[in-house]
Amino acid sequence: MGEELQGRCACGGVRYRLTEAPMFVHCCHCLDCQRQTGSAFVLNALVETARVELLAGAPARFEMPTDSGRPHGIYRCPTCGVAVWSEYGGVAALRFVRVGTLDDPRALAPSVHIYTRSKQPWVVLPPDVPAFEAYYDAKTLWPPESLARRKALFG
Ligand SMILES: [Zn+2]
Ligand SMILES: [Zn+2]
């Protein structure tokens, strides 16, 4: 795993590679994600910033308004504007990489569906993937190796 996890923006100015599989993959159905993507949900692969290798370009940060007041920066190609990842809560060591920008977006399926209370009614969730009305507790859901990586980030 890992060698296929390359991605890019639409114009190819930004290229990246994940040097390890993500710790977890969120499919978020919240209204902010719907607005920010113009779609029904966002697919975010949670991975350490140190494991996102930039191969070309320099994504530019755009601040998003948030209800919580905690920062959310979306990083976009400065040329074509495509979002490649987010940083939430000022945690610079963690990236939420947009799965749809991978060369093979089918490489990463959601580990969890969150904020399903605002999901589009026509989105039918698979019965074998955990789903939550709002957020969830990573400690009870993440596999042990991912929790260990998380602990290495946050202590
Ligand atoms: Zn671009
Ligand atoms: Zn969301």
Side-chain angles (χ1 to χ4, degrees), residues 28-34 42 44 88 114-115:
C28 185
H29 301 262
C30 85
L31 293 176
D32 283 343
C33 287
Q34 293 192 42
V42 73
N44 283 324
Y88 283 97
I114 57 176
Y115 291 101

Side-chain angles (χ1 to χ4, degrees), residues 7-17 52-61 75-80 82 84-85 95:
R8 63 173 179 85
C9 65
C11 76
V14 170
R15 291 182 173 277
Y16 67 89
R17 182 171 83 89
V52 181
E53 184 185 351
L54 207 48
L55 303 173
R61 181 181 170 114
Y75 287 78
R76 298 178 174 278
C77 168
T79 305
C80 71
V82 164
V84 286
W85 51 72
R95 290 283 180 253

Side-chain angles (χ1 to χ4, degrees), residues 2 24 38 56 66 69-70 74 88 90 96 98 109 125 133 140 150:
F24 220 61
T66 60
R70 305 183 72 214
I74 296 183
Y88 283 97
F96 287 61
R98 298 280 178 93
L125 300 180
E133 288 270 299
T140 61
R150 187 174 182 267

